[in-house]
């Protein structure tokens, strides 16, 4: 599969009125459910390398990986969403996202069953999240995107990974870096 690098750098001149009306979303599968997230949060998509498990962490924290010399925490999105852990297959991959806590940016990996594609969804096809009826916590849902006649759940990365959890993940990364999570990946 190799690495799929997504560039989210655009210039002001490259934006047009059409760009303001259509947003791109990366779609992926977790436990046979198609989910999406804004392409702007995605840094890259990588094959699933060896993940170093870190003791005494929640079940949804799969561990850490060595990404070009940096320690990156990996969240099992299936476990985080209450769907059970992702079962690794040849289609499993890690979506690297950038999240912001205050002035700091952190790269985190989100383990998913499979990356599907990139969809363009028009602004008028983006609807607010439901108050009920979803098996996913409503604070994890940013919006619902209508694609043809079905809806895709658009996740709120900042809520799936809360501020308190990000602080815990930062400590985890620092401890792993000091403890030597250096070469299993």
């Amino acid at each position: 599969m190799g690495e799929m690098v997504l560039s989210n750098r655009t210039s002001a001149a490259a934006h047009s009125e059409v760009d303001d009306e259509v947003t791109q979303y990366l779609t992926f599968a977790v436990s046979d459910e198609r989910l999406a997230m804004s392409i702007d949060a995605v840094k890259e998509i990588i094959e699933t390398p060896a993940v170093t498990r870190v003791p005494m962490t929640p079940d949804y924290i799969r561990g850490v990986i060595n990404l070009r010399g940096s320690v990156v925490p990996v969240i099992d999105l299936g476990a985080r969403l209450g769907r059970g852990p992702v079962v690794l297959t040849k289609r499993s991959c890690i979506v690297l996202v950038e999240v912001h806590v205050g002035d700091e940016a952190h790269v985190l990996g989100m383990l998913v069953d499979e990356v599907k594609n990139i969809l363009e969804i028009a602004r008028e096809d983006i609807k607010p999240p439901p108050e009920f009826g979803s098996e996913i916590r409503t604070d994890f849902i940013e919006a619902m995107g209508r694609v043809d006649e079905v809806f895709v759940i658009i996740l709120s990365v900042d809520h799936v990974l809360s501020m308190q959890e990000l602080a815990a993940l930062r400590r985890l990364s620092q401890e792993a870096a000091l403890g030597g999570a250096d070469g299993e990946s």
Side-chain angles (χ1 to χ4, degrees):
M1 181 175 133
E3 289 186 10
M4 178 179 174
V5 178
L6 301 171
S7 173
N8 56 9
R9 290 181 225 118
T10 57
S11 67
H15 285 286
S16 68
E17 289 181 27
V18 174
D19 290 336
D20 292 336
E21 296 174 10
V22 175
T23 304
Q24 291 187 323
Y25 295 91
L26 177 71
T27 63
F28 47 90
V30 173
S31 298
D32 295 325
E33 186 163 16
R34 192 162 132 185
L35 305 170
M37 67 182 348
S38 172
I39 198 75
D40 292 336
V42 178
K43 297 291 286 177
E44 65 184 288
I45 300 165
I46 61 172
E47 289 181 306
T48 307
V51 178
T52 303
R53 188 84 177 117
V54 179
M56 300 180 66
T57 56
D59 289 343
Y60 63 86
I61 298 178
R62 193 69 170 236
V64 294
I65 60 171
N66 178 351
L67 182 69
R68 298 183 283 278
S70 295
V71 177
V72 176
V74 176
I75 305 304
D76 184 319
L77 198 54
R80 180 68 176 129
L81 298 176
R83 302 282 197 263
V86 169
V87 176
L88 295 180
T89 68
K90 63 183 177 182
R91 293 182 178 261
S92 301
C93 55
I94 295 176
V95 178
L96 296 170
V97 297
E98 186 173 82
V99 292
H100 298 272
V101 180
D103 294 337
E104 294 183 34
H106 300 275
V107 175
L108 303 172
M110 295 172 60
L111 179 63
V112 300
D113 289 321
E114 176 182 10
V115 167
K116 295 291 191 178
N117 56 9
I118 296 173
L119 290 177
E120 290 185 344
I121 303 176
R123 182 181 300 154
E124 65 265 13
D125 289 330
I126 303 293
K127 306 298 179 194
E131 300 278 329
F132 60 89
S134 174
E135 295 177 9
I136 298 175
R137 284 178 32 188
T138 55
D139 60 323
F140 286 179
I141 302 173
E142 182 174 303
M144 304 294 291
R146 189 179 64 182
V147 179
D148 298 322
E149 294 304 313
V150 297
F151 281 99
V152 175
I153 296 172
I154 300 170
L155 295 178
S156 170
V157 175
D158 291 335
H159 284 99
V160 171
L161 305 169
S162 74
M163 298 298 244
Q164 292 82 7
E165 290 163 330
L166 290 175
L169 287 173
R170 183 173 53 188
R171 283 193 305 277
L172 170 69
S173 293
Q174 291 168 343
E175 290 168 11
L178 292 173
D182 56 276
E184 288 192 40
S185 35

